[in-house]
Amino acid sequence: MLASYFPVLVFILVGLAAGVLFILLGTILGPKNHYAEKDAAYECGFEAFENARMKFDVRYYLVAILFILFDLEVAFMLPWAVVFKDLGAYGFWSMLVFIVVLTVGFVYEWKKGALEWE
């Protein structure tokens, strides 16, 4: 019985070895230049090394969460599209209801101004 798990063990070991190898190669062969651009704020909305209790704009996080939400919901459509012919009418109407609910949520957040950046 344990012999049937041997390929899984080999797969895990090869994956771990490849991960360690790539990290080591990047560390050894990668450039070691350090400059101020690397410490600059990158898409965070505020400077990285300031007071942790500073005020920040919540809209940035709201837009990010909404993007992730709708991005994941659209990702649910790919498996549905792959097996669409096998699902028949039930699959079609189920996805239509899903898309309607998704559209209603999108219109609601649009009307509330959640996507506006002033």
Side-chain angles (χ1 to χ4, degrees):
M1 170 137 171
L2 290 177
S4 62
Y5 288 107
F6 183 71
V8 175
L9 177 65
V10 170
F11 184 75
I12 290 172
L13 291 176
V14 169
L16 287 173
V20 169
L21 176 71
F22 293 143
I23 289 173
L24 286 175
L25 283 175
T27 303
I28 294 168
L29 300 176
K32 304 205 178 7
N33 300 337
H34 187 73
Y35 49 93
E37 291 281 327
K38 288 184 179 181
D39 294 332
Y42 180 70
E43 294 186 18
C44 65
F46 50 87
E47 289 297 323
F49 300 105
E50 289 187 12
N51 186 1
R53 293 182 176 91
M54 65 179 273
K55 292 183 180 182
F56 59 90
D57 197 354
V58 178
R59 288 179 293 179
Y60 174 80
Y61 298 103
L62 178 65
V63 170
I65 289 171
L66 290 173
F67 171 76
I68 291 172
L69 174 76
F70 283 100
D71 186 51
L72 287 176
E73 289 188 8
V74 169
F76 287 135
M77 293 180 192
L78 180 65
W80 170 80
V82 170
V83 294
F84 176 70
K85 288 184 180 179
D86 298 334
L87 295 177
Y90 177 75
F92 172 76
W93 291 109
S94 297
M95 185 51 75
L96 188 65
V97 169
F98 178 76
I99 291 172
V100 166
V101 170
L102 184 66
T103 304
V104 167
F106 182 70
V107 169
Y108 175 77
E109 74 178 26
W110 191 355
K111 294 291 184 184
K112 284 290 193 177
L115 300 176
E116 298 294 325
W117 193 269
E118 297 172 5

